[in-house]
Amino acid sequence: MSQDKAKFISFEGGEGAGKTTQIKFLGEALRHAGYEVVIAREPGGTPDAELVREIVLDGEPGRWTAKEEMLLMYTARSQLVRTVIGPALERGAWVLCDRFADSTMVYQGYAGGVSLETIQALHKLVLGDFNPDITFIMDIAPDSGMARVHSRAEVLNQFERREAKFYEDARHAYLSIAKAEPERCAIINAAQDATSVAVDIVQVIKDRTGIAL
Ligand code: TMP
């Protein structure tokens, strides 16, 4: 991976894995090193995609079928890539995204029951071969992650109120994606304290891009 090419980096993992904190850390480190950084989240990241986020995350589990969720996620994703991520990469900015297409594979596919071929076909239709350069799989036991979510005392969204098996399936799915695509994915032990996690992430950036932060 060349040092001067802008990088698209996604952060994936279960609930309470600390993605948002780590994106903030890495964003600050990159800006400090002189790079322009764009931070986005999915679903969301544009005013319209944030509206989609509201309707897909609110309400009760079962409001949408997994296939309907997939369609909503890709509608929001299409606009985010077209209007934010694509232009940012074009002008040489790094893009750090809180979740991306792997989330659809994991939540609507492996854990939700939509066939992986269907999701792959939709991805191809909407985004072609566009994918992150590096994906951090923030791995944590679902019990520990959910304990963090509950301690935040926010209103839980419909994905944070699923059965325990859903989160176990999601964790295994992330690990199998990481195993299948080791060049793109890096598994990070997200059960460590935030500083140790940040050190691991910076090391992966150095190993894969040659950029020392
Ligand atoms: P988050 O803010 O914790 O990332 O919440 C977003 C939720 O949306 C999370 O529970 C995972 C879910 N989600 C999907 O099910 N499919 C997707 O494609 C994306 C991007 C998120």
Side-chain angles (χ1 to χ4, degrees), residues 108-123:
Q108 283 67 53
Y110 288 95
V114 181
S115 84
L116 305 186
E117 293 73 29
T118 299
I119 300 174
Q120 278 157 354
L122 181 61
H123 186 97

Side-chain angles (χ1 to χ4, degrees), residues 15 19 42-43 53 73 77 99 103-104 107-108 159:
E15 335 302 307
K19 293 181 277 86
E42 279 226 279
R53 180 184 179 91
M73 298 296 179
R77 182 166 301 139
R99 300 190 179 280
S103 283
T104 312
Y107 286 76
Q108 283 67 53
F159 288 100

